[in-house]
Amino acid sequence: MKRPITTLFLLISLDGKISTGANDALDFDKDFPNIAGVKEGLHQYYKIERTTDLWSINSGRVMAKVGANERSLPDKLDVSFVVIDNSHLTSKGVEYFSKLAKKFVLVTSNTTHPAYKTEADNINIIYQKTFNPAEVLNCLYEDYGCDRVTIQTGGTLNEIFLREKLLDYVDIVVAPILVGGKDTPSLIDGYSLLSQSEINKLGVLKLEECTALEGSYVRLRYKVVS
């Protein structure tokens, strides 16, 4: 199936974590601005984020965690958002994305999701009884004209994109901090391999760029080769 070129883009700690802890109240966006030695260089991540693709895939859990259900309604961006969500976005969260996004595409298995009752010309819904990322990407390409998309989901969904061989590039900003904790979300979580026969599900990378940023931050850009 035809699909857009994908880039996994996230901020991580040196030990690969994407949150400051296992509780949803703990979050890089909330906590890093208050940590000396980390807050000074954080702005670089957000500056780079503004240069990513005009399509972005996110998860409803992550978006709820960073406050989409409580934020004031924003000005519209020239960016289209795809959110994979069954229960985390409220009607206020759906309205937030309808105001923010050029196009808002919800991927859900919930037939009573608040998005069905929200009236906005830019809301589109992809219903899937079972999440199928390849079909979602094909739909984005064929039906919405999406040729490049940035993936910024949580560790479990990132693992699904990895195992399905749907990642083309990985673009990571590494913060100068160690987080730890076996239950703290990391860049790739989800299913762990159990046998040698599954080794082909690993993601082999080729480094394309390594850039030392201010404040001991580092940007790593890879191409996924297999």
Side-chain angles (χ1 to χ4, degrees), residues 9 11 27-33 38-39 41-52 66 71 152 173 213 217:
F9 175 75
L11 174 67
D27 182 78
F28 281 179
D29 291 323
K30 298 175 183 177
D31 300 330
F32 277 6
V38 178
K39 63 182 180 182
L42 182 60
H43 66 280
Q44 299 166 106
Y45 167 73
Y46 298 113
K47 183 177 180 180
I48 294 169
E49 186 179 39
R50 289 194 291 270
T51 69
T52 56
V66 299
R71 289 181 179 176
Q152 293 181 279
V173 176
L213 305 175
Y217 278 74

Side-chain angles (χ1 to χ4, degrees), residues 150-205:
T150 297
I151 296 173
Q152 293 181 279
T153 52
T156 300
L157 285 173
N158 292 345
E159 183 265 342
I160 295 174
F161 283 102
L162 169 67
R163 303 301 186 211
E164 295 286 332
K165 299 296 180 181
L166 296 172
L167 297 179
D168 298 309
Y169 294 92
V170 178
D171 189 352
I172 298 298
V173 176
V174 184
I177 192 169
L178 296 169
V179 175
K182 66 181 181 66
D183 296 321
T184 304
S186 60
L187 182 65
I188 305 291
D189 287 325
Y191 172 78
S192 297
L193 302 187
L194 299 174
S195 68
Q196 288 288 332
S197 64
E198 297 180 297
I199 290 298
N200 64 338
K201 294 183 179 181
L202 301 178
V204 180
L205 310 177

Side-chain angles (χ1 to χ4, degrees), residues 52-221:
T52 56
D53 299 310
L54 294 178
W55 281 84
S56 177
I57 295 179
N58 309 90
S59 73
R61 179 180 179 182
V62 172
M63 292 298 96
K65 183 177 179 180
V66 299
N69 292 328
E70 292 84 31
R71 289 181 179 176
S72 300
L73 296 180
D75 295 328
K76 190 171 292 294
L77 299 178
D78 194 31
V79 178
S80 295
F81 288 88
V82 181
V83 179
I84 303 163
D85 180 61
N86 290 327
S87 60
H88 291 93
L89 288 183
T90 64
S91 57
K92 180 68 180 294
V94 172
E95 185 182 11
Y96 173 85
F97 275 105
S98 72
K99 299 295 184 182
L100 177 70
K102 182 176 181 180
K103 293 181 181 178
F104 172 48
V105 181
L106 175 76
V107 181
T108 188
S109 63
N110 179 6
T111 57
T112 61
H113 195 281
Y116 283 99
K117 297 181 180 179
T118 303
E119 295 184 4
D121 293 339
N122 63 338
I123 294 179
N124 304 271
I125 299 176
I126 299 175
Y127 171 79
Q128 290 188 328
K129 188 173 183 179
T130 302
F131 178 59
N132 186 320
E135 288 186 358
V136 169
L137 291 174
N138 176 251
C139 182
L140 294 178
Y141 183 89
E142 297 285 0
D143 297 342
Y144 299 103
C146 171
D147 56 4
R148 300 188 68 95
V149 63
T150 297
I151 296 173
Q152 293 181 279
T153 52
T156 300
L157 285 173
N158 292 345
E159 183 265 342
I160 295 174
F161 283 102
L162 169 67
R163 303 301 186 211
E164 295 286 332
K165 299 296 180 181
L166 296 172
L167 297 179
D168 298 309
Y169 294 92
V170 178
D171 189 352
I172 298 298
V173 176
V174 184
I177 192 169
L178 296 169
V179 175
K182 66 181 181 66
D183 296 321
T184 304
S186 60
L187 182 65
I188 305 291
D189 287 325
Y191 172 78
S192 297
L193 302 187
L194 299 174
S195 68
Q196 288 288 332
S197 64
E198 297 180 297
I199 290 298
N200 64 338
K201 294 183 179 181
L202 301 178
V204 180
L205 310 177
K206 179 182 179 182
L207 182 65
E208 294 200 327
E209 183 179 347
C210 176
T211 305
L213 305 175
E214 298 174 6
S216 298
Y217 278 74
V218 177
R219 184 182 185 183
L220 301 172
R221 302 180 71 184

